[in-house]
Every structure is written in C-alpha cells, then in structure tokens.
Amino acid sequence: TSLLDEEGNQDESLESKTLSAEDQVKDHSTGTRVVAGQIFLESGKSDSQSEDEENFHSQEEEKESSLEELNSLEMSNLLNKDLEEAEIQSPVLTAIGGTADGEPCHFPFLFMEKEYAECTADGREDGRLWCATTYDYKKDQKWGFCETEEQSNKRRQMQEAEDVYQTGMKILNESSKKAQKKEAYQYLLKAADMNHTKAMEKVSYALLFGDYLKQNIQSSKELFEKLTEEGSPKGQMALGFLYASGLGVNSSQAKALVYYTFGALGGNLIAHMILGYRYWAGIGVLQSCESALTHYRLVANHVASDISLTGGTVVQRIRLADEVENPGMASGMLEEDLIQYYQFLAEKGDVQAQVGLGQLHLHGGRGVEQNHQRAFEYFNQAANAGNSHAMAFLGKMYSEGSDVVPQSNETALQYFKKAADMGNPVGQSGLGMAYLYGRGVPVNYELALKYFQKAAEQGWVDGQLQLGSMYYNGIGVKRDYKQALKYFNLASQGGHILAFYNLAQMHATGTGVMRSCHTAVELFKNVCERGRWSERLMTAYNSYKDGDSNSAVVQYLLLAEQGYEVAQSNAAFILDQKEASIVGENETYPRALLHWNRAASQGYTVARIKLGDYHFYGFGTDVDYETAFIHYRLASEQQHSAQAMFNLGYMHEKGLGIKQDIHLAKRFYDMAAEASPDAQVPVFLALCKLGVIYSLQYVREINIREIFSHIDMDQLLGPEWDLYLMTIIALLLGTIIAYRQRQHQAIPRPAGLRPAVPQQEPPPEHQPPQ
C-alpha cells in the first residue's frame, strides 16, 4: 500500500479526534443549512455534532490537565471557545420562496405520512431541500426552500465530488498495483478540480512528493494556498514547509512559523512536531524547552495511543552516505536472494527460519513489507513443529486481531499458556496481559505480576514494561516509582516505544525522579519519531534508489523539518552531491550547509566534519579556517573522530586557522592512527612528510660553520685525537682493500665453461632459503 494513503488516512483519523466538530461546521454543503448567506447548524445533526464537540472538548481538557500552560494551549482554548459559540448559535431556519416565504420552518413536520426532523428533498425531482412551516403539510400546504437555487447546485456538485473522491479512495485502498493507484489519483484529481477539500489535500501532497503523479511544486503550492484559505490544517502545514525550505517560493522562516502555528492549532500533528523541534533547537524562535515539551507531548500522546501489542512497524533509518560507500551494509536491508534462501529453508521445515520470517512479516522492515497473512502462515508452521516462540506470537496476533486473524481472547490464551508452560518469555508476558486486563480469564493481579516478573527476568521488553506500569500505578503491588523507573529503563534499552513514553512522562512531571525538561523532550522526541509518518523515510530512500533525487530530497526535507537527524543528513547529502535539480545551483551548498548544521547539532559526527570541510573550502559560505578548526575540534573531542583528528593535524602542520606547530600536528596524526585502523596508512604518509619537513627546517635553522667553530676537539676526544683519527682511517682503508681482493677472486669464468662442482655440499636442511 502507498505510504501517502496510509499517512493521509492516519492523519485524518488522528485529526478527526480533535477536529470533527470543526469539520462539520466548515462542510456546510452537506451538514448545514444556509439562509441569506448565514450558515446554520442542521437541527437533525446537532445532537451528533454536539456529542462530537463534547468529545473534542473533553479531549482538549485532558490534554490541558497533562500539559504545561503555554502559548499554544492558550490559543487552543480560544479555538475551543469559538467552537462553543458556534454550537450556541443555532437560530431557527427560515423558509425561502414557496408558499411561506420568510416564515420559520417547523420541525418535525408531517409529509406523506412520515415525520421529518430536518429539511428534505423528498417529493422533488430537482433535489432541492425544503421544509414545511406548519406540522401537517398536506393540510396547510405551507412550505419553502431551505436553500437558494445556487446553494442547491453547489451542494449537489459537492455531493458529486464526494462520490468521485470515495471512488478514488476505494481503488487506492484496495489495490497494491502502481497502475491502479495512478488510476485512483485520476479520480482524486477530478474531485480536487471540483474543490473537494480532502481530494485537494491528497493531490497536493502527491504533486509535492511525486507520488503516482508527476512532481510539480508550483501546482502543489497553488493547491496548498487554496487549502490554506479554506482553513485546512494540512494545507497550512505544507505551505509552512514550502516557505521554510524555499521550494516554489522565496524562503521565509517568519511566514513558515505563522503557517506552522495555524496548522498546529488546527490539530495537525506534523505541524506540532515541527514546532516542537523548532522550540527545542531554537530555529526561528527563542529556544524554549517548555514550549517544545508542550508540542512534543501532544504528538507523543497520539503516537503512544496508536501503538499496538505487536509494537507497530519498524523504523528504517538508512544513511545515504553510508549506503553509497557500503551498499546494503549500513541499511540492514536484506537482499532478495537472502530472503528467498530463508523462504526455501522455511519451506523445507527449518523452524528458526519460519519464526524469523514470521517476525519480519509481522512488523515489516529490512526490505520486507508488513504482511500479517504471511506472518500467520509461518508462525503456524513453526508452532505445529512445537516452537514456543511461534506459539507466543500467534497468541499476540489473536489477542490483537487484524483483517487476517480474527480477535479471540480464548485462542490467544491457549497459545500463551502453551508457550508459557515451555518457559517462553513472550508467552509469559502475554499470559500476564490476559490476567491484568481479564482477557479470557478473570482479572488476577497477583498472577499477572508473577508472569511479568518471569518474562522480565528473561529480558523480554514487554514484561519489563508491564512490570514497570504495575509498580507505577500501584496495581497488585505497592506503588514504587523507583522500581517503575528501573523497569522502564530496562525496557527502553530494548527499544520499546511505550517505555520511552513512560520515562518521558516521569521526567516531565518529576515523578520518582528530579524533573528534567531537557530529558523529557528528548524522550518524547524519540517517541514522536516512531509515528507512522516515519515510514516516509523508507519511501524517500526508495525514490533515491530509483534515481528520483528530486522526490527523495523533498521528502527528506519535510522529515528534516520534523527533526529527524537522519533525514537532515540525507537531504544535505543529496544537495552536497548536486543530484537534485529542483534546487538552484547557487542555493545547493548553502542549503546543504544548513542541514549539515542541524544534523551536527543532534550529534552526527560526519555532519560535524562536513561543517568543517564547508568552512575550510568555502562551500556555501566564506573560507573560514578558524571556524573549520572549531568544528574539527568538536568532532575530535566529542565523537573521537579519526578524520577530524587527521584534519586538525594537517591544520597545525600548515598553520591554518591556528598557530603552526609541528609537534601538535604529530600528536593529532598519532591520535588519528590510534582512533581508527583505516587512518594508519594516511597517517604514516603524513608523518613521513612531516619528518622530512622537520629535518629541512632544522637544517635551515642551524649554522654549520658556527657549530664547527665552537667544537674543541682536544676537549672532546683528548689531546691525541689526531692519532685516533689516523688509526680509524687506516683500519677503514685496510677493510676496503681486503674487500676488493675478495671481489677479484670471485670473478666468474668465461661463458660456455661449466663451473666445477663443489666437492662438499651442505646438507639440504642447512641450505639458505631461495
């Protein structure tokens, strides 16, 4: 399935939690009545709408109780107030034309032996909505339209657009073939041309990223502007991104901030995430840990609530720089041949291969798409062979339920029990969950604690997480924050998202630990980066691999705005290689420099060295040896980079940005050789060169005549030093004469004469090696 579809669907589902009421207010073509230009809420739908709004307000109140009272929440409160006012203002509908022009509609009214609580089109061929102004229409014949003819036409057009949109979405969600998805986008394009908001959102993003439509930044910008005018949070966020990255518009961080803020107020999670990162890093705003905490916590709440028992999909963080140097090594991607080999082993009955492939298909990742059907088949094969791990994972699949595996607590319990009896920690943890929540068995906190402890002792992260939760909430045990912290830390070391989330909550509120805003933000940021939008990292990589650098760079740039360090470095890498024609020639290096800088701030060593290189050579900035030296030194001290140490040695040797010092140069070269075996050869060559330079410099600095004039031979070698010298010369002369005589004796015979065979040959084992 397309990531764009999944991302869009998830965005809609997440935003619907907070924007359902607002959407109903906006979509007056289907959910409201319009009289004389005034929008009124439809009486028949007001009950459901008020329920939605109550849900909205209750959710917002829950957020406020858990979040710090900062600017963004104050603005959210203003938004809530506006919605409340919209709910209060529901005046009576007035009939237009007909036999009772200007009279108020009467609800309910009786027509054709049926009561109507809202305007209807029944009895009319043109589809216009009407109402009666008295209870009994047949008796009094008093009626009028609920809308003008123009409004009626507009409503029918929007209904037609909705039908086209739903047709497109159905094809999009039900197909996996690229050709069918392209066909689906033709329907969406048609709906977008008819001003259907959701269709415009999907089409504009497809044009921006080049997903199933040809990439066209200018067209996507026009659609985003149109969406922004209509108050679409997705449109506002995307327009903010265009201004932040300077795509299709002149870059303006101030405008970007405004659009991001409005997008966040509208409930767009990506806008919240971008603002969280901006406040955390101080980009375009004053650095504020508390503001960052507000935005990140809000997004993390949604991400954490979206995490299933199976843990969700795996986030692939592939660095393009590493991938280019060592294809397949850095990414952890499995080659197609290797996957086929494992499949062959699995078919032959290799249980370990079956379990491994089952887990790969369950979670997705490493080049394998998530496929619950395949996962279920592999686990079944392994479970039938008696593998406890496969039984436990089947239990998880039944407990969670999906399109492939129907939810069944009883079946899940059977598999968990079988696995737990064999001492499997995954099964023990599953059994603990069953007793904790009463899934198929009565609630029993003691047994839940017992099974979680068994699983945690074997290092299973789910067991550690649940054990931490029991201690944190005081369920079945005495509340103990220190124990909770211990188990959450253990689970976080295993990479469990909810463990990071719980630790972040503890640090944010100072529960069981000293309150630390900085630690809480970093942990919440980690959680936010595990959201479904992280799947775009993989689509961006696939675009790059397929040779579409323009599509890849735009996707990486958006993820970079969200604070993904790997996306920042990848965007910078593509720009550095000048592979993206979408960015002007003169802007390539300055933009790459910006993203190398952001990646370096998040601790990426290569980015820090790149910053040094850019200032050293003057790429995207003026040549500045001192700044280059500072970046190399930071990479050397903080990340112990051999490359940075070597560069520092060279700068000391040449006196660039620092006073020339050959001794310090040698020291840095030696440190580089110690830090990495790969640096030993270049370091050896550099030291040889340094030795020659040092010798020449030494010779240049000394005066030989002056040295000899100061030497007193009588004092150095004694008064008879000349006799010693003559003796040494005589001995040397004798040695030379003797050597010359031996050479004459060993002159070879003329060619053609065979040399005499020596009478005695040494034994073979004493012969010198050839």
Side-chain angles (χ1 to χ4, degrees), residues 339-360:
I339 294 169
Q340 286 177 1
Y341 172 66
Y342 285 134
Q343 286 171 342
F344 171 76
L345 289 177
E347 285 165 14
K348 290 291 181 186
D350 189 308
V351 176
Q352 292 303 320
Q354 290 166 349
V355 174
L357 284 169
Q359 285 181 279
L360 271 176

Side-chain angles (χ1 to χ4, degrees), residues 405-695:
V405 183
Q407 203 281 333
S408 170
N409 288 331
E410 290 71 25
T411 313
L413 196 67
Q414 288 173 14
Y415 280 115
F416 283 143
K417 274 183 177 172
K418 284 182 186 177
D421 290 343
M422 295 169 75
N424 185 278
V426 185
Q428 291 165 344
S429 178
L431 212 50
M433 292 291 281
Y435 282 112
L436 181 65
Y437 295 109
R439 294 173 182 168
V441 288
V443 171
N444 188 326
Y445 294 137
E446 285 183 17
L447 279 174
L449 187 74
K450 172 190 163 187
Y451 282 114
F452 287 142
Q453 282 173 333
K454 284 184 175 181
E457 282 166 12
Q458 294 188 63
W460 180 242
V461 289
D462 279 348
Q464 293 164 341
L465 176 80
Q466 297 303 330
L467 201 54
S469 294
M470 291 187 81
Y471 277 112
Y472 183 84
N473 296 307
I475 298 172
V477 289
K478 187 180 176 182
R479 194 186 294 260
D480 188 337
Y481 290 130
K482 285 187 178 177
Q483 285 288 353
L485 191 71
K486 170 191 166 184
Y487 286 111
F488 286 150
N489 272 319
L490 285 169
S492 71
Q493 287 166 20
H496 203 297
I497 307 175
L498 293 178
F500 287 116
Y501 176 76
N502 292 337
L503 282 172
Q505 292 285 24
M506 291 182 79
H507 281 94
T509 55
T511 306
V513 288
M514 284 286 289
R515 186 179 187 275
S516 170
C517 176
H518 185 77
T519 307
V521 167
E522 288 193 338
L523 288 165
F524 275 133
K525 182 175 183 286
N526 196 322
V527 174
C528 294
E529 289 181 2
R530 308 286 188 93
R532 288 198 182 276
W533 39 77
S534 63
E535 292 169 28
R536 188 159 286 286
L537 283 168
M538 204 62 212
T539 60
Y541 170 71
N542 288 331
S543 295
Y544 182 78
K545 205 167 63 173
D546 294 340
D548 192 353
S549 296
N550 284 336
S551 174
V553 80
V554 173
Q555 293 178 76
Y556 279 132
L557 284 170
L558 178 57
L559 291 163
E561 281 288 299
Q562 289 173 248
Y564 286 88
E565 177 271 303
V566 70
Q568 291 166 346
S569 57
N570 284 351
F573 175 81
I574 294 172
L575 292 168
D576 181 74
Q577 299 295 306
K578 296 194 171 182
E579 293 175 329
S581 59
I582 204 166
V583 180
E585 183 75 23
N586 297 333
E587 296 176 19
T588 303
Y589 281 135
R591 290 193 190 187
L593 180 67
L594 173 76
H595 286 96
W596 283 130
N597 196 14
R598 290 181 186 177
S601 299
Q602 296 199 59
Y604 183 40
T605 311
V606 173
R608 181 67 67 190
I609 294 168
K610 279 285 186 181
L611 282 176
D613 292 346
Y614 273 47
H615 284 96
F616 187 92
Y617 295 110
F619 293 159
T621 183
D622 296 329
V623 172
D624 187 343
Y625 293 130
E626 289 180 9
T627 306
F629 183 85
I630 290 167
H631 287 301
Y632 290 142
R633 192 176 64 193
L634 283 170
S636 165
E637 291 172 358
Q638 293 174 1
Q639 287 104 15
H640 306 290
S641 163
Q643 178 69 58
M645 291 169 185
F646 186 90
N647 292 352
L648 285 170
Y650 181 79
M651 292 183 83
H652 275 293
E653 179 190 324
K654 296 290 183 183
L656 301 169
I658 194 78
K659 187 181 176 184
Q660 189 174 23
D661 191 327
I662 288 174
H663 301 286
L664 271 175
K666 183 181 182 305
R667 182 184 164 201
F668 277 112
Y669 284 141
D670 289 339
M671 284 166 64
E674 288 172 15
S676 170
D678 294 339
Q680 288 178 356
V681 173
V683 163
F684 173 75
L685 295 171
L687 286 174
C688 289
K689 178 185 155 197
L690 199 63
V692 172
I693 292 169
Y694 180 74
S695 303

Side-chain angles (χ1 to χ4, degrees), residues 159-185:
Q159 186 57 52
E160 186 187 341
E162 177 67 20
D163 293 342
V164 173
Y165 170 75
Q166 291 300 340
T167 304
M169 289 305 295
K170 189 180 179 186
I171 297 170
L172 203 59
N173 294 329
E174 291 178 359
S175 64
S176 57
K177 292 179 181 176
K178 199 170 181 180
Q180 288 175 313
K181 287 184 180 289
K182 284 185 175 180
E183 181 196 344
Y185 268 94

